[in-house]
Amino acid sequence: MAERLLFDVLVIGSGASGLAAAVSADRAGARVAVATKGSLQSCNSAKAQGGIQASFGDDDSPEQHAEDVWKSSHETADRALVEVLTGEAKGAVHWLEELGVEFTRENGGYRLARCGGATRKRLLQVGDRTGHAITTGLREAWESGAGISFPKSPLTSLEPAENGWRARCGEHDIDAGAVVLAAGGRCYREAEERGELSTNHPGATGEVTRIALDLGAEARDLDALQYHPNGGAWPPNMQGYSIPETTRAYGAVLLNKGGEEFTDSLGPRDAVSQAIFDEVERGNGVETPDGRPAVLLDTTRIPEADAEVSLPYMLRRYRSAGIDPLAEPIYTYPVLHYQNGGLVIDTDAETTLEGMFACGEIAGGTHGRNRMMGNSLLECCVFGRRAGAAAAEKARS
């Protein structure tokens, strides 16, 4: 019989939200464990490229950021969660900087870009590998603390216990006063079932959400899956790659086969994706060399100086395949990207089940039925920190 392990807080998942929760709970004095399906490095968060939103601009505010979120969600987001998200954005960025994340700067301040659905420039970046930088900083902070990691230990069962929760993670039996679910969404599995491409890590298959639902946790908007408007369509090594939306922030536009702009390239994600689908359906798309539907993203309009600073990883990947995005337009088509809905949470990230918290993509409400880019990494950090602190407090009570 396996030894039963005792912790105050058990975190399921090691993406940005799980690591933020774990670091927060550890620094609150809790005994913390992180269990994850694969390695600690295996997550969607590390693949996030575009950036993280926060209202640092002189013409911006948390209230304006919140209004943009509300409008982009088509007025379906939870306003209380949105106000927390945008109100704590700058604090989350400074916290990440304390952990060693170095955001791109210019002219004495942050280099800010305007992303789809935003009315102001508020997207901070670390080149075009922002998620990698954030997860690296969080993971190093977690590994320097007192917590224990259980890699390659997927959650297979969870049940209420006398003083919290009892979990089976891989070969480990774990009792914890509180549990934080941060296992992400299900878009990789959905894409496989639909025969489509996805930007997601292969671990994004949704089992943990199902476990929570079977326990009686409430959910919302689980049907609202998001397409990234600019998936790579060609060459083969770029298929399923999420072309950073910052390409459009720095001047790239979407073109049909006639070289005409057919949509607002800086519109909300769902609107831009649907416009691409519609244009192709009308017969105005193009075809990749291997016969896939696509439109063109005219990246030749991006100033080289902007591209070298904010899109170096994208340039390197395309150029390694013999294509220079600054010299020719690239093929693009929407790819399945993000689970907008998820478990219902309150402003402390607690689900409708006492002592069970959720943060990151597995949680619903913050984005409503349509997420703006740059708010997923922000949500991970803001609500991950809240979840970790609240879970630590719950375990002590």
Side-chain angles (χ1 to χ4, degrees), residues 14-215:
S14 61
S17 61
L19 292 171
V23 170
S24 181
D26 179 62
R27 293 185 173 185
R31 294 168 299 161
V32 186
V34 169
T36 188
K37 183 189 294 186
S39 68
L40 283 181
Q41 293 89 343
S42 301
C43 61
N44 276 340
S45 305
K47 291 162 65 71
Q49 296 169 101
I52 183 170
Q53 288 203 55
S55 55
F56 282 101
D58 292 339
D59 62 344
D60 203 1
S61 68
E63 293 76 20
Q64 186 59 51
H65 186 179
E67 188 62 24
D68 288 350
V69 174
W70 178 243
K71 288 181 178 178
S72 290
S73 79
H74 308 295
E75 301 184 355
T76 62
D78 182 321
R79 290 300 292 256
L81 298 180
V82 173
E83 288 170 7
V84 170
L85 179 78
T86 64
E88 296 185 6
K90 290 192 281 189
V93 166
H94 291 317
W95 182 65
L96 290 170
E97 289 177 317
E98 291 169 9
L99 301 183
V101 180
E102 297 182 5
F103 293 98
T104 306
R105 303 180 75 93
E106 65 179 5
N107 302 322
Y110 297 112
R111 181 180 175 86
L112 300 174
R114 186 167 79 86
C115 56
T119 57
R120 303 287 190 276
K121 290 184 176 182
R122 70 169 70 93
L123 189 75
L124 289 81
Q125 308 134 76
V126 183
D128 54 352
R129 301 198 73 190
T130 309
H132 175 77
I134 287 174
T135 52
T136 297
L138 287 168
R139 189 167 57 253
E140 290 175 351
W142 163 246
E143 291 178 332
S144 69
I148 303 295
S149 299
F150 297 106
K152 299 182 180 178
S153 300
L155 178 72
T156 54
S157 68
L158 184 66
E159 60 185 25
E162 184 176 351
N163 295 309
W165 294 91
R166 178 160 294 172
R168 177 76 171 176
C169 299
E171 300 300 314
H172 308 288
D173 293 318
I174 300 173
D175 281 0
V179 63
V180 179
L181 305 182
R186 69 184 196 278
C187 282
Y188 185 86
R189 175 174 60 81
E190 285 280 349
E192 278 200 318
E193 291 176 355
R194 299 180 185 190
E196 299 179 2
L197 296 173
S198 169
T199 63
N200 279 206
H201 187 278
T205 47
E207 297 92 343
V208 175
T209 298
R210 174 47 55 191
I211 289 172
L213 295 177
D214 289 345
L215 286 164

Side-chain angles (χ1 to χ4, degrees), residues 182-377:
R186 69 184 196 278
C187 282
Y188 185 86
R189 175 174 60 81
E190 285 280 349
E192 278 200 318
E193 291 176 355
R194 299 180 185 190
E196 299 179 2
L197 296 173
S198 169
T199 63
N200 279 206
H201 187 278
T205 47
E207 297 92 343
V208 175
T209 298
R210 174 47 55 191
I211 289 172
L213 295 177
D214 289 345
L215 286 164
E218 294 180 17
R220 55 166 290 172
D221 303 319
L222 278 175
D223 63 312
L225 300 180
Q226 182 176 76
Y227 284 88
H228 190 295
N230 286 150
W234 184 263
N237 72 309
M238 304 305 290
Q239 289 173 343
Y241 169 79
S242 56
I243 300 168
E245 278 195 57
T246 41
T247 54
R248 290 179 276 134
Y250 290 117
V253 296
L254 292 160
L255 304 175
N256 62 21
K257 68 179 182 181
E260 303 161 325
E261 292 186 48
F262 57 90
T263 188
D264 175 6
S265 293
L266 282 176
R269 278 185 165 174
D270 59 344
V272 177
S273 294
Q274 191 59 53
I276 295 171
F277 288 136
D278 292 344
E279 195 71 4
V280 169
E281 182 68 23
R282 284 192 288 263
N284 294 327
V286 296
E287 194 173 272
T288 65
D290 65 347
R292 293 176 180 269
V295 295
L296 295 173
L297 180 65
D298 187 2
T299 44
T300 68
R301 306 188 190 198
I302 303 172
E304 187 168 354
D306 287 333
E308 296 294 344
V309 171
S310 292
L311 299 165
Y313 181 62
M314 185 198 82
L315 292 178
R316 190 160 62 248
R317 287 195 61 175
Y318 271 99
R319 286 169 175 169
S320 70
I323 294 172
D324 184 355
L326 300 185
E328 60 182 298
I330 56 180
Y331 292 99
T332 187
Y333 195 71
V335 287
L336 206 55
H337 183 59
Y338 193 84
Q339 176 181 296
N340 287 314
L343 303 177
V344 171
I345 60 170
D346 64 15
T347 54
D348 285 328
E350 189 167 20
T351 69
T352 54
L353 300 180
E354 185 177 0
M356 176 189 287
F357 298 80
C359 51
E361 191 173 353
I362 199 172
T366 308
H367 312 297
R369 296 184 62 82
N370 183 60
R371 177 177 68 81
M372 297 177 71
M373 79 157 295
N375 279 344
S376 58
L377 290 173

